[in-house]
Amino acid sequence: MQAPDPYPDERPQAPARGMLGVSPARAGGFWVLGERLARVAGLVLALSAFMSWYAGSDDGPTIAVIGWHVGVLGKLVFFVGLAVLALAAAREAGIELPATVPESLVLIGLGSLGTTFVLIRLLTVPDEFFPYTGRGIGIWISLLASLAVIAAGLLEASEEL
């Protein structure tokens, strides 16, 4: 029979890692789904600023205007997507936000901001882009990506509760 150790090791133990380097607590569930959705939606939102937002023709070839060229709002959509990616990269690097600022709330705020910017450009077309025959696929992709950022934030918030 062995006597108990008089001075137990008080160092915190590292969490056990699985085969893929993911801790078992985060191996599944909505948290991982929220993280992945945030990464993909942020990337798509950033790239959608370089997709066709408006298309049109006037007795000639069909032209398209990308989101970057529709003014400040198109550029802000790109930077909102970049901010979502930066938040995911900071999380991977081990940098966490203060406890008073939950990451899910930041994601919901960024998604709401991106959705607002895209909806403004969806509803009001600048006059310099006339004649246009309709909206391009890029503006719809931007709208879906910004709504997906909100959904990712809500998924992460549901896991925090």
Side-chain angles (χ1 to χ4, degrees):
M1 186 163 180
Q2 188 176 18
D5 194 11
Y7 301 104
D9 190 17
E10 294 183 14
R11 291 180 290 176
Q13 297 293 326
R17 297 268 180 195
M19 223 167 71
L20 298 175
V22 178
S23 62
R26 295 180 62 185
F30 289 116
W31 181 264
V32 174
L33 180 64
E35 283 182 9
R36 288 182 185 162
L37 183 62
R39 286 184 199 138
V40 170
L43 180 64
V44 170
L45 187 61
L47 291 178
S48 69
F50 301 105
M51 296 178 192
S52 168
W53 280 22
Y54 304 114
S57 64
D58 187 26
D59 298 331
T62 301
I63 59 168
V65 180
I66 64 172
W68 188 263
H69 291 150
V70 298
V72 175
L73 291 178
K75 292 170 181 63
L76 287 175
V77 167
F78 170 74
F79 288 116
V80 166
L82 214 57
V84 172
L85 289 176
L87 189 63
R91 179 186 322 142
E92 286 297 317
I95 302 170
E96 294 186 18
L97 294 174
T100 57
V101 183
E103 189 174 323
S104 59
L105 184 65
V106 173
L107 277 176
I108 292 170
L110 287 171
S112 300
L113 196 62
T115 303
T116 303
F117 294 156
V118 172
L119 282 176
I120 288 172
R121 278 293 164 234
L122 189 64
L123 297 175
T124 60
V125 179
D127 290 338
E128 67 236 25
F129 300 128
F130 285 104
Y132 78 97
T133 56
R135 284 140 184 97
I137 189 72
I139 198 162
W140 300 109
I141 291 173
S142 297
L143 183 62
L144 288 176
S146 59
L147 290 173
V149 171
I150 295 173
L154 291 173
L155 282 173
E156 287 189 15
S158 69
E159 185 65 28
E160 290 173 2
L161 295 179

